[in-house]
């Protein structure tokens, strides 16, 4: 960190990022203003511990409305509302509250995550860690930024000195297998952190707050924006064995550490739960 943010040459990506930032900030302000002491649990998703609040849906609707007003022909993929087709040349990938359980309990680590694709490539991403007042942004080729300073991931960290973030799924059997994998990872790294938000964990890699991140069970909207931010900070994000990050696995770290963590995870065969 320390570089001042440049004027980007990529006008389209920068313009999309500017709009995404404005929408993410508005959604975050709404969520802060309306969050009760114990938000209403509207429903469960994949399991009884995977909750969706009424404010998840309200935040996504706000984001969809603002995108529609500014760019009515764009497509939208949202965690709560699914896919809305469009022919505007861009697709918005939205997680209205990444870290819903943190939001529910008042843990100050949840975020509004918005990424924008053009021709299938993510060109802009914003992760608004609302309760901490931290807005992480990136545009393709334009770097990753926080509070006007450029982010760079930690480099040259060996696996046994790496502080590694991870997360766990909601289904009991998946958590059991993830705990078994973790028991094998933990002795081989510096320590583990579990924050509860994939998007924020990826931003933590970007900003050097952790050295690496891995998790099975994340969806595209969880890592779309944070993945661009981490990549623009110099990290590599991918799945296992050359695949892209997916629900099967997402791994993120600087080159070198990425390969070491990847190979460890492959050796532990975490894909079969």
């Amino acid at each position: 960190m320390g570089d001042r943010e440049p004027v980007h040459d990529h006008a389209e990506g920068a313009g999309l990022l500017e709009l995404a930032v404005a929408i993410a900030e508005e959604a975050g302000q709404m969520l802060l203003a309306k969050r009760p002491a114990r938000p209403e649990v509207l429903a469960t998703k994949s399991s009884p511990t995977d909750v969706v609040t009424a404010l998840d849906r309200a935040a996504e609707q706000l984001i969809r409305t603002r995108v529609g007003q500014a760019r009515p022909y764009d497509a939208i993929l949202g965690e709560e509302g699914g896919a809305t087709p469009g022919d505007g040349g861009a697709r918005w990938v939205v997680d209205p509250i990444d870290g819903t359980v943190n939001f529910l309990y008042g843990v100050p680590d949840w975020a509004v995550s918005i990424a924008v694709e053009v021709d299938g490539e993510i060109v802009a991403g914003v992760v608004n860690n609302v309760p901490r007042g931290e807005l992480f942004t990136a545009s393709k080729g334009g770097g990753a930024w926080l509070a006007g300073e450029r982010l760079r991931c930690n480099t040259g960290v060996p696996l046994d000195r790496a502080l590694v973030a991870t997360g766990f799924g909601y289904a009991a059997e998946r958590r059991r297998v993830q705990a078994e994998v973790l028991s094998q990872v933990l002795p081989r790294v510096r320590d583990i952190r579990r924050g509860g938000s994939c998007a924020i964990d990826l931003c933590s890699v970007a900003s050097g707050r952790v050295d690496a991140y891995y998790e099975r069970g994340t969806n595209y909207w969880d890592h779309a924006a944070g993945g661009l931010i981490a990549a623009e900070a110099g990290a590599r994000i991918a799945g296992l064995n050359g695949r892209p990050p997916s629900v099967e696995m997402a791994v993120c770290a600087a080159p070198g550490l990425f390969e070491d963590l990847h190979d460890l995870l492959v050796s532990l065969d975490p894909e079969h739960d």
Side-chain angles (χ1 to χ4, degrees), residues 225-248:
L228 177 65
I229 292 165
E232 286 292 325
R236 181 179 174 190
I237 178 168
L240 297 184
N241 299 315
R243 292 190 288 271
S246 71
V247 70
E248 295 300 323

Side-chain angles (χ1 to χ4, degrees), residues 176-188:
R176 183 189 66 77
V177 174
Q178 287 173 320
E180 291 176 356
V181 170
L182 180 63
S183 73
Q184 299 299 310
V185 171
L186 184 56
R188 305 184 199 191

